[in-house]
Amino acid sequence: MKHTRIAILASGIGSNALALMNHFDGHPTIRTSLLVSNKETCGALLPASKKNIASEVLSNAEIEDNQTLLMLLKQHSIDIVVLAGFLRRIPISVVQAFPDRIINIHPSILPEFGGKGMYGARVHHAVIEAHKKSSGITIHVVNENYDEGHYIAQFFVPVRANDDASSLGHKIRTLEQRYFPTVVEGYINSLTD
Ligand code: GAR
């Protein structure tokens, strides 16, 4: 049976990329076929190489140029792109070539605390400063207006009076690890059913 081939794009620690790679290890129908990062230091690169998953580090200029990333995805016959803490904007050429086929995870309940400049710990700081009573994660499809693609799933956590950005970040990571891989799997299955 032909596998659905996913490319994971990651920039930082890589905990979400690693959770995805682990989840799809030996999966009967879905394969992690490529890891792309814009950082040599991305924590997902070493685990990818240990798992014999192809990986590429592209410069920010290459990511933005509308050709390099698209060609790389085509070379690896990628069906689905998963943004797992990828902190650069995806070029329009890629968005158009993968309609409803790019999934992003965002560490807040969108549409709140989304948009330009809102990523990683910045989001948690903003949630704490706004005295919100809850936060969470949004897993969504990427369209031409980045954070505005349709939501696949949202999961909430309470924000307690004694939480700070660091403790909130910890709760969010726990949610991400628990739900992101299975939601990605469910979404892919819904496309191929
Ligand atoms: C994750 O919390 C992810 O939700 C967030 O960056 C972190 C990456 O962590 N993504 C965004 O903020 C996208 N706007 P990781 O490198 O350990 O997966």
Side-chain angles (χ1 to χ4, degrees):
M1 181 194 241
K2 183 189 172 295
H3 280 78
T4 298
R5 296 169 64 82
I6 68 172
I8 300 173
L9 276 58
S11 297
I13 295 170
S15 65
N16 282 290
L18 183 57
L20 289 161
M21 291 189 283
N22 285 340
H23 185 79
F24 293 120
D25 257 351
H27 193 282
T29 57
I30 300 168
R31 176 173 297 156
T32 308
S33 301
L34 179 65
L35 175 78
V36 180
S37 186
N38 60 324
K39 297 271 186 203
E40 297 276 359
T41 51
C42 175
L45 289 166
L46 185 60
S49 93
K50 286 190 177 153
K51 290 174 184 293
N52 288 319
I53 294 169
S55 63
E56 287 281 343
V57 177
L58 300 182
S59 67
N60 290 336
E62 286 172 318
I63 286 162
E64 279 158 22
D65 72 14
N66 262 315
Q67 285 183 28
T68 312
L69 180 58
L70 183 61
M71 278 171 52
L72 186 62
L73 297 172
K74 289 200 184 291
Q75 269 164 20
H76 288 267
S77 305
I78 296 302
D79 302 299
I80 299 280
V81 177
V82 185
L83 309 182
F86 187 66
L87 304 183
R88 304 296 298 187
R89 190 171 272 272
I90 297 298
I92 192 73
S93 59
V94 173
V95 175
Q96 288 172 345
F98 290 86
D100 295 327
R101 300 290 191 280
I102 306 176
I103 305 165
N104 184 42
I105 185 161
H106 185 81
S108 77
I109 299 297
L110 289 173
E112 283 200 296
F113 306 102
K116 199 168 162 50
M118 275 294 173
Y119 56 82
R122 289 183 183 203
V123 176
H124 311 318
H125 280 286
V127 170
I128 296 288
E129 274 170 27
H131 303 289
K132 301 301 288 188
K133 295 273 180 282
S134 65
S135 187
I137 61 174
T138 302
I139 299 165
H140 67 96
V141 173
V142 171
N143 70 11
E144 290 165 27
N145 296 324
Y146 217 78
D147 285 338
E148 294 173 21
H150 82 256
Y151 301 160
I152 302 167
Q154 292 186 307
F155 300 95
F156 291 76
V157 280
V159 181
R160 308 280 183 212
N162 60 353
D163 270 321
D164 58 14
S166 163
S167 64
L168 176 57
H170 188 74
K171 289 184 192 177
I172 296 286
R173 266 182 202 289
T174 305
L175 272 191
E176 292 180 338
Q177 297 286 310
R178 184 177 307 152
Y179 293 114
F180 192 32
T182 49
V183 169
V184 168
E185 180 179 11
Y187 182 73
I188 292 171
N189 287 339
S190 77
L191 293 174
T192 52
D193 275 350

